[in-house]
Amino acid sequence: MKRSENTYTDAQRGTHMANANRIAGAIFNYRCLVALPIVLLLIAGIYMKAAENKQWMVEVESRATKNNSSSECNLFRGRWVFNNQSYPLYKERKCLFLADEFACEKYGRKDLKYQNWRWQPHQCDLPRFNATILLNRLRGKRLVFVGDSLNRNQWDSLVCLVESSIPSTSKSRQIIGNLFTFKAIEYNVSIDFYWSPLLVESNSDDPVNHSLPDRIVRVQAIEKHAKHWTDADIIIFNTYLWWLRPKMKVLWGSFESPDGIYKEIDMLRSYEMALKTWSDWLEINVNRTRTKLYFISMSPAHLRGDEWGTSANQNCYKETEPIFQKGYLESETNQKMMRKVDSAIQELKSRDVEVQLLNITQLSEYRKDAHPSIYRKRRVAITEDQLFNPRSYADCAHWCLPGVPDTWNEILYAYIIQYGGMCRN
């Protein structure tokens, strides 16, 4: 049978295939050459961000060391040591006032090792928490946590740490609006939490209905909240998670006025503006000889398993061990925000207002195992799709109790008891 003129011989077909392979290889090599600088830039960006993060940590830790009574004692640099003999410091089921959002054992968590880790600073020891000593030191005083749900998490922890040593007839808790109050009646001590997630006024200030898609903040308005803290003897501030979006809608004017001016501003700039309002309020209103001021640094969320050696779609769900890599920091931890806090604190110091930064970030970064994950009360019902993918609704921002916030409070306790409430520079 005669071949068609368009039909290739085997030799011709082989030649064309070889040419096609060379062309494909050239295209592949070209794409690689084009992509390689992009990949290298991405890698360089990650390393530069990590280096920037570590540099900020070094600066703050160096200042913390100088602030403490011993030049070798840095409470924020250390390691987690497993200790199931003397930890946890209290039992979850015996804490009468523990919020269900943090009660992981109650909501089905079986692995409880997260309760048994003790923070060990490298060159000193944290003083053992003693509720009676703390309550005596606070006798007749008011301590207030001000901020978001992570400060609520720490407030719950401190209440659990002290309430077991108080008879049931001598303690009470009440919630009125944004103010959560625990009273140790015999000691005349009030340990409070005030819900103010952005410190300044916002449309997220309702303690229950605050999850709004369009967040609006009045960066120059703080008095509505601040009047509830003015008489406090110790105030512990935080604000971080609620700012995490590229831009914030800022309002000049009141929410009630139709003449208000709204403008979208870069998040970091709006955060800086809010801290300026906070700083100015402190300078004018705080009794400097009486009130001790603290600011809690950012609390990390563990959302990217590829950063601690598992898959990219893994988060804190099913994690049961800390991270043991020394100096581990997540790439998503926004140190630029904490630099703004640090700058505000240093500026306040120049105006003779002392605020102690409690840098709990690094020690908390190691604890991917200690979040509620799926073991907590949910405000919104779980969907059928979510049930098939538990990672999709795991809470990797807050912390189980007993747990990591107890260590934050052990450090706060050290400052109140051992350093007289404040380490002066």
Side-chain angles (χ1 to χ4, degrees), residues 37-49:
I38 297 172
V39 173
L40 291 174
L41 282 171
L42 289 171
I43 293 171
I46 290 170
Y47 277 99
M48 285 175 66
K49 186 171 183 180

Side-chain angles (χ1 to χ4, degrees), residues 60-62 64-65 68 70-78 119 121-124:
V60 174
E61 287 175 350
S62 175
T65 301
N68 289 346
S70 166
S71 62
E72 295 185 347
C73 182
N74 184 336
L75 298 179
F76 310 111
R77 181 178 291 180
W119 179 247
H122 286 319
Q123 295 172 307
C124 53

Side-chain angles (χ1 to χ4, degrees), residues 136-154:
N136 274 311
R137 179 63 63 90
L138 296 178
R139 187 180 292 273
K141 292 181 170 57
R142 182 180 181 223
L143 179 153
V144 186
F145 291 93
V146 176
D148 60 26
S149 55
L150 287 160
N151 250 18
R152 165 73 194 276
N153 210 166
Q154 188 173 355

Side-chain angles (χ1 to χ4, degrees), residues 202-206 208-216 242 245 255:
S202 75
N203 65 341
S204 300
D205 288 342
D206 189 289
V208 178
N209 301 312
H210 46 246
S211 297
L212 306 173
D214 191 19
R215 190 162 300 154
I216 304 170
W242 286 72
R245 48 184 62 197
F255 287 106

